[in-house]
C-alpha cells in the first residue's frame, strides 16, 4: 500500500501534514518512526510490528546502536519494509505528568525531524508515540505531536514535503484531527 487515505491534511510551508488510520508498516515513504523502547531491540505494539515486518536484519542493526535515551531517536535502514528508513524514537512512560513527560515526548518528534533533515528525507510517518503500553494520554500526546511538528516545520526549512500521523485506530486519529483544529490547521 503506497499510503493510507488521509482523513485530514494541511499545509505548512512546503510540507503537507496528514492524519490517517492504517498500518504504518505498509507505508511507502522515506522513513517511518518506531515507538521504540530503550533497547531498540523490539517489543510490543508498533515496535514489534515494525521489527516483524522489517525482518531480522533490523534487529541486527539495532544491536549495534547501544540503545537510546528517552526523548531521543536513532535511524536505521528499513530492510523489508516499504519505507527506506526507520527512525526509532523512545517516548516517555506516563507517570502522571510531572516527570517532564511532555518535554520528552516533544523531543522525540523534534529529534526524528532532525534525523530526517540530516538524511535529506522528504517523507515521514509518525505513530502515536507513548500512547500504548507507556500510557501517555492520547489526546494530550496528539496535541504535543501535531504542535511540535507544526512548530518545527514553520521554524526551519526542511526537505520534508509529506508528514503523516499514521494512527492505528480511529480514536487516535480523532485526537490528531482535534489537535489540527486546536492549532487552526483544519
Amino acid at each position: 500500500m503506497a499510503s493510507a487515505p488521509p482523513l485530514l491534511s494541511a499545509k505548512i510551508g512546503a510540507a503537507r501534514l496528514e492524519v490517517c488510520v492504517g498500518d504504518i508498516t505498509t507505508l511507502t515513504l522515506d522513513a517511518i518512526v518506531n515507538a521504540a523502547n530503550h533497547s531498540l531491540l523490539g517489543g510490543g505494539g508498533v515496535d514489534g510490528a515494525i521489527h516483524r515486518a522489517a525482518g531480522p536484519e533490523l534487529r541486527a542493526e539495532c544491536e549495534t546502536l547501544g540503545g537510546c535515551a528517552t526523548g531521543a531517536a536513532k535511524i536505521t535502514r528499513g530492510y523489508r519494509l516499504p519505507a527506506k528508513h526507520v527512525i526509532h524514537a523512545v517516548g516517555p512512560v506516563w507517570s502522571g505528568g510531572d516527570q517532564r513527560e511532555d518535554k520528552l515526548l516533544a523531543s522525540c518528534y523534534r529529534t526524528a525531524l532532525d534525523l530526517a533533515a540530516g538524511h535529506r528525507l522528504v517523507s515521514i510517518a509518525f505513530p502515536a508515540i507513548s500512547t500504548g503500553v507507556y500510557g501517555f494520554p492520547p489526546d494530550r500526546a496528539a496535541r504535543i505531536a501535531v504542535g511540535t511538528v507544526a512548530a518545527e516545520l514553520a521554524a526551519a526549512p526542511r526537505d520534508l514535503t509529506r508528514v503523516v500521523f499514521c494512527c492505528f485506530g480511529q480514536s487516535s486519529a480523532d485526537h490528531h484531527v482535534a489537535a489540527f483544529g486546536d492549532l487552526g490547521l483544519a
Side-chain angles (χ1 to χ4, degrees):
M1 174 168 91
S3 65
L7 299 173
L8 178 70
S9 81
K11 194 111 166 133
I12 296 183
R16 175 150 309 279
L17 277 66
E18 303 174 8
V19 176
C20 72
V21 176
D23 178 351
I24 199 168
T25 68
T26 66
L27 300 181
T28 304
L29 300 169
D30 285 346
I32 60 172
V33 176
N34 180 15
N37 61 42
H38 291 281
S39 74
L40 304 182
L41 301 180
V46 71
D47 189 15
I50 287 172
H51 273 268
R52 284 189 299 277
E57 299 89 352
L58 179 61
R59 182 182 170 101
E61 184 176 353
C62 286
E63 287 174 349
T64 70
L65 299 178
C68 188
T70 301
K74 294 188 178 180
I75 191 168
T76 63
R77 291 180 40 211
Y79 297 99
R80 299 178 191 173
L81 292 163
K84 296 174 193 169
H85 300 279
V86 177
I87 297 175
H88 307 267
V90 180
V93 173
W94 181 255
S95 298
D98 57 356
Q99 300 297 311
R100 300 181 44 240
E101 293 99 317
D102 290 359
K103 288 182 181 187
L104 290 167
L105 184 60
S107 180
C108 287
Y109 289 91
R110 275 194 302 279
T111 306
L113 291 171
D114 289 345
L115 284 169
H119 287 80
R120 302 190 60 92
L121 307 182
V122 298
S123 57
I124 188 171
F126 289 97
I129 298 170
S130 285
T131 62
V133 296
Y134 281 15
F136 209 106
D139 57 335
R140 185 174 183 148
R143 284 192 308 273
I144 291 167
V146 175
T148 301
V149 169
E152 290 294 310
L153 293 175
R158 299 175 188 267
D159 294 326
L160 285 171
T161 58
R162 186 171 181 217
V163 177
V164 179
F165 296 99
C166 185
C167 303
F168 185 73
Q170 187 62 48
S171 67
S172 178
D174 291 343
H175 292 304
H176 283 77
V177 168
F180 270 59
D182 292 345
L183 290 168
L185 300 173

